[in-house]
Amino acid sequence: MDLLRHLRHFVVVARELHFGRAAEQLGMAQPPLSQSIQRLERELAVELFDRSRRQVRLTTAGELLLGEAEELLAAEGRLRNLMHQVRAGALGVLRAGVPPETPAVTLRALLDRLADRAPGLDVELHELTTGEQLRVLAERRLDVGLVHHPVPDDGLRFGAAVDVPLGVLLPRTSPLAREREVDLAALAGLDLVTAPRATAPGWHDHLLAVCRRHGFRPGRVRPARNPEFLFGLVLAGNGVAVESAATARREPRIAWRPIAGAPLAKRTSAAWPERAAHPAAAMFAQLAAEVLADAEPAPAEPVPAPAQRLWRVLFDTTG
């Protein structure tokens, strides 16, 4: 027996005290409505309406049931609304991964937008590299993450990507820092300071391939997880890094120069499991792309090349 359906019918009849008007309001014929009420009475083993007179009246049992039925139906409505919000990703817990180098202002902007869009959603952030995120996404211990491409797409969906143009980080005392832009070939023999391969294997291999293709074969590849350590190795004088302009702004003794021909950009997007995806994953991806696009500032110093040369989509997967 569909108790809630019969209770809905009962409440309308109890309010109207007229089977014809109640049937019209419910959009059904009167005989099925009468049968629904009779079935409810049999189920509860009481008479809900006094039909002995020309006017329909509630019995004592009917009067007591009316308040309880209205409360129960209201609770059902709240429950359905709650589950709808869960399905829409507006409630519950979202386990999200972000790269360790993500600036605090970017995280704050992302969390603020998520709170505005889904105030009931509990966002549980995890500081994880791309390599770590791919592993825990596969293990279903993470719902969505921000990864640096290229990454394998097996079993994953991706949100809109944001490309951040990269340049060379140099000591301000370096002769190359006096140039408006730097050819990768001019860096030949210098060490390349970059994140360890395990943090983002696809990006690491792509970076080295593009450098080699443009004439830069590093003397050594020196791993640096922490930005401060990276700056220290660059300031030591025999190393350079390939990073965004925003990274250089953290250290005044470091100069950022665009790369001639703009062959490199770091592409970032949200990734989440293709099957049984968290309902809030796509929303997180959209908001993250918006925040990342807004967060990347223009280069601090003007460059002679047209702006479109620096900012166009530059990601190259052939290397």
Side-chain angles (χ1 to χ4, degrees):
M1 175 181 173
D2 187 347
L3 180 61
L4 291 176
R5 180 169 65 88
H6 293 301
L7 286 175
R8 279 192 289 270
H9 292 169
F10 163 74
V11 167
V12 176
V13 176
R15 289 171 180 169
E16 294 292 332
L17 293 176
H18 192 285
F19 277 83
R21 290 195 300 269
E24 184 177 351
Q25 184 175 330
L26 289 165
M28 60 190 299
Q30 185 172 332
L33 176 59
S34 297
Q35 292 167 10
S36 176
I37 299 301
Q38 291 167 6
R39 184 168 183 183
L40 180 62
E41 290 176 321
R42 289 196 301 271
E43 180 71 21
L44 300 178
V46 295
E47 288 191 356
L48 300 173
F49 295 98
D50 182 357
R51 303 174 179 84
S52 62
R53 305 177 185 180
R54 295 181 62 184
Q55 185 177 359
V56 176
R57 293 179 182 274
L58 283 168
T59 64
T60 301
E63 290 174 351
L64 291 173
L65 179 61
L66 179 57
E68 295 293 333
E70 289 175 330
E71 187 174 327
L72 181 60
L73 293 172
E76 182 214 14
R78 292 192 297 271
L79 179 62
R80 289 184 181 276
N81 180 61
L82 187 67
M83 293 302 100
H84 171 75
Q85 292 184 65
V86 171
R87 291 195 304 273
L91 285 177
V93 177
L94 177 71
R95 301 166 300 175
V98 293
E101 70 274 13
T102 307
V105 291
T106 301
L107 287 178
R108 175 62 184 272
L110 177 56
L111 289 173
D112 284 348
R113 294 200 190 191
L114 284 165
D116 289 341
R117 181 73 66 86
L121 184 66
D122 181 9
V123 182
E124 187 181 283
L125 285 182
H126 298 265
E127 184 185 37
L128 299 167
T129 66
T130 292
E132 292 167 337
Q133 289 186 52
L134 293 176
R135 184 176 68 254
V136 292
L137 281 168
E139 295 169 354
R140 307 312 294 263
R141 293 190 289 116
L142 196 68
D143 299 312
V144 64
L146 290 177
V147 299
H148 298 315
H149 291 259
V151 296
D153 60 0
D154 296 342
L156 292 176
R157 295 181 63 184
F158 299 99
V162 175
D163 291 327
V164 176
L166 302 181
V168 180
L169 300 191
L170 304 155
R172 287 197 176 275
T173 56
S174 169
L176 290 173
R178 295 194 291 266
E179 303 294 330
R180 306 279 286 184
E181 60 180 16
V182 175
D183 276 302
L184 283 175
L187 306 176
L190 294 174
D191 294 344
L192 176 64
V193 184
T194 189
R197 185 180 185 276
T199 62
W203 165 250
H204 187 276
D205 294 347
H206 171 71
L207 170 63
L208 292 182
V210 172
C211 287
R212 288 193 298 268
R213 195 160 62 242
H214 288 78
F216 174 31
R217 293 184 176 272
R220 284 188 299 172
V221 178
R222 307 185 68 176
R225 285 180 175 269
N226 187 288
E228 296 302 320
F229 187 61
L230 180 145
F231 293 147
L233 292 179
V234 171
L235 289 171
N238 196 46
V240 296
V242 177
E243 297 288 343
S244 67
T247 302
R249 285 183 170 81
R250 304 183 190 184
E251 171 53 66
R253 294 171 294 174
I254 293 286
W256 183 89
R257 293 295 178 266
I259 301 171
L264 281 166
K266 182 170 281 189
R267 170 167 290 183
T268 304
S269 80
W272 64 96
E274 190 171 22
R275 300 184 63 181
H278 191 288
M283 175 184 65
F284 178 93
Q286 175 194 345
L287 297 179
E290 294 172 3
V291 168
L292 290 174
D294 292 343
E296 179 59 24
E301 301 173 59
V303 295
Q308 65 181 25
R309 185 180 182 189
L310 182 62
W311 291 96
R312 61 189 170 88
V313 176
L314 303 169
F315 191 77
D316 180 0
T317 59
T318 60

